[in-house]
Amino acid sequence: MFGLFSKIYAQVESTKNKLTATFKSIFQREKLDQSSIDQIEALLYSADIGVETTEKVIAAIKVAHKNNPQMQGQEVGVICENMLRDVLRGADRFLEINGEWGRDAGEGNPQTQAVPLVIGLVGVNGSGKTTTAAKLAGFFAKNGKSVIIGACDTFRAAANEQIKVWAQRLHFDLVESQRGADPASVAFDTCQAAVGRGKSVVILDTAGRIHNKSNLMAELVKLKRVIGKINPAFPQHLWLVVDAHLGTNTITSAKKFHEELGLTGMVMTKVDGTSRGGAIVGIYEKLGIPVYFIGTGEGHADLAPFVVDEYVHGLVGRT
Ligand SMILES: Nc1nc2c(ncn2[C@@H]2O[C@H](COP(=O)(O)OP(=O)(O)OP(=O)(O)O)[C@@H](O)[C@H]2O)c(=O)[nH]1
Ligand SMILES: [Mg+2]
């Protein structure tokens, strides 16, 4: 499993080539000067690490440089990696499903053998929820889990068809829906089917929504409440799917989703197409919500569990 991560993280790194290459070139310098520090600051900003963390990293580099004016680039690399790792401590958490996979069940995962793990995916329009639902189904199936998806996006005309195509291609069970149906009742039917069929994972794909539309947020609160009637533990997880292109701009919206719904995690998608993947740092620092997976492409296998060490390495690419 970890081999797969390396491949995917290498892919992330290569798409951010320019940024990573510039970091590397600084870390290879014999001696650090002020312009190198300015360059690192600009790089951290362009990676969308966030103001606070960037300032902290730069302050630490300046102190180290003052103490040792002969400081080498390599040492700066160590500071950057260590500080980013520090800020992200606890941001990677793997799931445990019936005690068989991952290393940490995290909080709020009162699994027993018979209870399926229910994961709801929420987020703004186009963030990658449906694609992530399909990728997760593929991922869990590959890890020996039986999966069912609920097509709870009853708002967009083609939503059901979109997930149905994935279901047929990847052979997972799907509870379909009609446009205009109540998303909570689709979620209820899906969870009930999961219990009846002995599924181990339920993934609920929901319609995209803007955080300040209170009626749409209320719809998700209702969905949560309704499936809680089947088992008070449902949904054990509610993940915000975040588009990496939006960078730290997504913090306000993430905060609102969290306030309304009590998010348990995030998935950051489209990390392949942008150098702004550093936003995970800023978002985690502000909200403290762990990141379970990252999306690295449009294909069903382009998903990797988030691993802080690999991620930081991919971001600043110290050799
Ligand atoms: N490059 C890349 N594209 C992605 C990734 N995840 C999703 N996409 C693309 O992003 C677009 C939107 O994805 P969807 O899964 O339909 O997004 P959604 O959140 O379900 O959208 P709504 O249901 O309309 O809110 C599609 O073109 C996907 O192929 C990713 O990790 N990388
Ligand atoms: Mg969708």
Side-chain angles (χ1 to χ4, degrees):
M1 190 165 58
F2 280 86
L4 175 76
F5 297 4
S6 311
K7 185 178 146 269
I8 287 174
Y9 278 85
Q11 181 187 332
V12 171
E13 183 173 345
S14 76
T15 58
K16 293 199 290 257
N17 229 333
K18 212 166 142 230
L19 187 90
T20 312
T22 322
F23 268 122
K24 276 185 180 164
S25 81
I26 296 172
F27 299 155
Q28 278 158 6
R29 287 180 195 164
E30 293 263 305
K31 191 165 164 290
L32 195 77
D33 54 17
Q34 184 56 44
S35 80
S36 311
I37 299 179
D38 293 344
Q39 245 182 314
I40 293 171
E41 187 169 10
L43 284 172
L44 291 171
Y45 278 121
S46 64
D48 221 0
I49 297 289
V51 179
E52 281 167 38
T53 306
T54 300
E55 282 177 355
K56 261 193 242 170
V57 174
I58 295 301
I61 293 173
K62 282 183 176 162
V63 169
H65 189 229
K66 205 172 156 205
N67 290 339
N68 174 18
Q70 302 306 316
M71 186 183 181
Q72 295 186 343
Q74 182 72 9
E75 294 165 57
V76 182
V78 174
I79 294 176
C80 282
E81 277 202 14
N82 286 348
M83 293 206 62
L84 292 177
R85 272 205 198 101
D86 236 35
V87 174
L88 285 170
R89 185 165 299 139
D92 53 354
R93 239 190 267 170
F94 295 166
L95 284 174
E96 185 177 325
I97 303 164
N98 297 341
E100 286 168 22
W101 180 76
R103 62 167 192 210
D104 180 2
E107 292 157 23
N109 185 14
Q111 284 294 295
T112 63
Q113 286 296 341
V115 180
L117 178 75
V118 180
I119 304 171
L121 300 179
V122 300
V124 300
N125 305 72
S127 62
K129 295 171 293 302
T130 305
T131 312
T132 301
K135 287 177 183 179
L136 285 170
F139 181 88
F140 289 127
K142 216 165 138 190
N143 282 278
K145 306 297 169 199
S146 53
V147 186
I148 185 166
I149 294 200
C152 307
D153 179 352
T154 59
F155 179 76
R156 205 161 51 80
N160 187 68
E161 284 308 304
Q162 188 187 354
I163 193 71
K164 194 172 166 186
V165 169
W166 280 111
Q168 283 165 348
R169 205 189 303 167
L170 301 179
H171 309 291
F172 53 74
D173 281 17
L174 174 73
V175 172
E176 293 191 49
S177 62
Q178 298 291 325
R179 192 171 179 210
D182 183 352
S185 82
V186 182
F188 185 89
D189 291 348
T190 311
C191 291
Q192 221 172 27
V195 173
R197 295 179 208 174
K199 297 284 174 187
S200 45
V201 182
V202 178
I203 298 165
L204 302 172
D205 178 34
T206 66
R209 67 203 70 218
I210 308 286
H211 62 275
N212 55 14
K213 290 262 191 238
S214 58
N215 57 329
L216 296 182
M217 294 306 275
E219 196 179 86
L220 290 176
V221 175
K222 177 181 168 191
L223 183 151
K224 234 184 124 172
R225 192 181 64 240
V226 166
I227 58 176
K229 286 180 185 161
I230 301 174
N231 184 322
F234 292 168
Q236 291 92 331
H237 281 278
L238 211 50
W239 292 349
L240 185 69
V241 179
V242 176
D243 178 342
H245 288 91
L246 300 179
T248 42
N249 294 330
T250 202
I251 287 177
T252 311
S253 142
K255 218 170 158 178
K256 187 74 179 157
F257 270 99
H258 192 37
E259 276 165 19
E260 297 271 347
L261 299 163
L263 300 172
T264 61
M266 287 192 291
V267 176
M268 183 164 272
T269 61
K270 312 186 195 180
V271 176
D272 51 304
T274 175
S275 62
R276 302 186 90 192
I280 286 181
V281 180
I283 299 171
Y284 182 68
E285 196 177 35
K286 283 269 179 309
L287 302 179
I289 304 165
V291 181
Y292 282 93
F293 287 89
I294 58 167
T296 57
E298 295 189 85
H300 70 89
D302 298 328
L303 181 83
F306 178 66
V307 181
V308 168
D309 283 356
E310 302 223 20
Y311 174 75
V312 169
H313 189 80
L315 200 67
V316 297
R318 192 166 65 90
T319 45

